[in-house]
Amino acid sequence: MSPDWLTAISTGVIAAFTIVLAVATISQGWLTRASLRLTRQQFIATHRPRVIVRFVQGPFLEDKHQHAFITFANVGSSPATIVELGADLARRRPNGDWLPGISAAPKPIEPIVLKSGERYVHAVRAQLPYGEAEMFADAAEDIETCVVGAIRYRDDNHIVRETGFCRVRTTTTKRFTVSSDAEQEYQD
């Protein structure tokens, strides 16, 4: 073999090795980025936000309508962006049948960011007026006053979660307490 032939084969082997090395380096970079993205998503998922109803104040009577204030809090360890909110101050019979006038489905809102530990207070107003018939029903304990609704929020991974709530005003303590029905009080 002549030295030129050996040089050509060596150059070809070096070129092939260089191409393989370039492909391996590009693949390694892609895998590293994918691994970092997955690590970030897992961190956010395990340190996710949790929006809960901390408490409800009210009801207050103003302009012949009952009002209440709901305090939401992010008890998770990462920010929550509230994107939809629905709440109503409604009335129901003790058997669970809602009276007409309830409107508690979540509706899009201007996003609200709650960092870990932050709170947001939302005012609700009953759809129907509160008059003498409602006062009598309350005194006779024929009707329950409830604050009900749902809040949708997303984390930094853009995963949307929902917290549903139903707080019932007890006649003994005159405060809103968590509903005994687990399907009315939930967190995703």
Side-chain angles (χ1 to χ4, degrees):
M1 277 195 188
S2 71
D4 291 335
W5 179 250
L6 189 59
T7 303
I9 291 175
S10 299
T11 302
V13 169
I14 290 172
F17 179 73
T18 302
I19 291 170
V20 168
L21 187 60
V23 169
T25 302
I26 290 169
S27 297
Q28 184 63 38
W30 181 81
L31 290 172
T32 300
R33 280 193 296 280
S35 176
L36 289 172
R37 187 172 35 254
L38 180 61
T39 301
R40 181 179 184 278
Q41 289 173 342
Q42 286 178 337
F43 180 82
I44 291 171
T46 57
H47 296 84
R48 72 178 191 85
R50 277 189 49 230
V51 176
I52 64 166
V53 174
R54 182 62 78 191
F55 54 87
V56 177
Q57 295 171 298
F60 306 104
L61 188 61
E62 182 180 314
D63 299 328
K64 296 185 181 179
H65 287 270
Q66 287 184 315
H67 296 51
F69 297 97
I70 308 167
T71 300
F72 300 103
N74 179 5
V75 297
S77 57
S78 64
T81 303
I82 299 172
V83 293
E84 292 183 25
L85 178 61
D88 200 358
L89 183 61
R91 298 169 63 75
R92 71 178 182 185
R93 292 183 177 82
N95 67 1
D97 291 340
W98 294 98
L99 297 180
I102 186 170
S103 175
K107 297 166 192 66
I109 62 168
E110 186 70 30
I112 300 166
V113 177
L114 288 181
K115 296 177 184 170
S116 179
E118 287 186 338
R119 294 179 180 195
Y120 172 73
V121 178
H122 180 72
V124 292
R125 178 179 183 253
Q127 302 294 318
L128 301 175
Y130 187 80
E132 290 180 13
E134 289 77 17
M135 286 181 205
F136 180 75
D138 284 346
E141 298 181 10
D142 290 338
I143 300 294
E144 296 176 323
T145 302
C146 303
V147 171
V148 62
I151 182 169
R152 291 194 182 124
Y153 59 97
R154 70 173 181 255
D155 62 16
D156 289 340
N157 285 333
H158 298 282
I159 295 174
V160 177
R161 303 182 193 312
E162 182 173 292
T163 298
F165 58 92
C166 179
R167 302 296 166 99
V168 182
R169 187 167 187 258
T170 62
T171 54
T172 54
T173 64
K174 307 289 187 211
R175 294 181 13 198
F176 286 97
T177 60
V178 176
S179 173
S180 58
D181 185 349
E183 290 185 16
Q184 295 176 338
E185 192 80 26
Y186 61 88
Q187 295 177 24
D188 289 343

